[in-house]
Amino acid sequence: MKKLTFLLFALFTALVFTACSGNSQPNDLASVSGTLVYRERLALPENASVTVRLVEMKTMDSPGKVISRQSFVTKGQQVPLHFVLNYDPSQISAAHDYVITAQIDVSERPLFITNTINKVITDTNHTYDPALTLVSAND
């Protein structure tokens, strides 16, 4: 009986230590946050949806690898729109460029898009709180 009690106690202790060690990945994430604006005098409808992506650019002729993405419906909120892109720093290579792209859609049609290169992470001059100016998608 003592052996069984000891075995159960040892098993319980091992289980507790395993559960407490957990997975620390959420604390290991980094983030890039910023704002989206556009110059047109146009109020966004309630159902406007925003998609912001952190993309790794290896070469200019490839579409790039999406590292992180945030999407949300504005629900009447107007510009400036704030975003936060969480990413795993282990996916970042100092040899590559990382850019933020964004678009605002209404009824699944692009209304505003980014048309400039917005470097972040490996371009430390633009990493902290970038303000992206979107342009009309109809131009």
Side-chain angles (χ1 to χ4, degrees), residues 15-96:
L15 185 62
V16 167
F17 281 123
T18 303
C20 289
S21 67
N23 188 347
S24 62
Q25 285 181 347
N27 295 333
D28 295 340
L29 293 178
S31 66
V32 174
S33 61
T35 56
L36 305 175
V37 297
Y38 55 83
R39 293 192 176 133
E40 287 79 356
R41 290 181 164 251
L42 175 71
L44 293 173
E46 296 260 336
N47 66 337
S49 64
V50 177
T51 303
V52 185
R53 293 177 187 87
L54 173 63
V55 180
E56 176 186 63
M57 301 300 295
K58 292 183 182 177
T59 62
M60 292 302 274
D61 57 347
S62 70
K65 174 185 169 188
V66 176
I67 302 294
S68 179
R69 173 187 169 139
Q70 179 190 15
S71 296
F72 58 93
V73 176
T74 60
K75 298 180 184 175
Q77 182 183 357
Q78 302 300 317
V79 293
L81 300 167
H82 300 279
F83 67 88
V84 177
L85 294 169
N86 295 319
Y87 65 92
D88 180 356
S90 68
Q91 292 185 320
I92 303 301
S93 167
H96 297 146

Side-chain angles (χ1 to χ4, degrees), residues 36-40 60 99-104 111-119 131-139:
L36 305 175
V37 297
Y38 55 83
R39 293 192 176 133
E40 287 79 356
M60 292 302 274
V99 299
I100 295 177
T101 64
Q103 73 182 54
I104 300 173
L111 183 61
F112 294 103
I113 59 172
T114 50
N115 70 344
T116 57
I117 296 174
N118 303 288
K119 292 184 181 181
L132 281 62
T133 301
L134 285 69
V135 298
S136 175
N138 298 322
D139 291 342

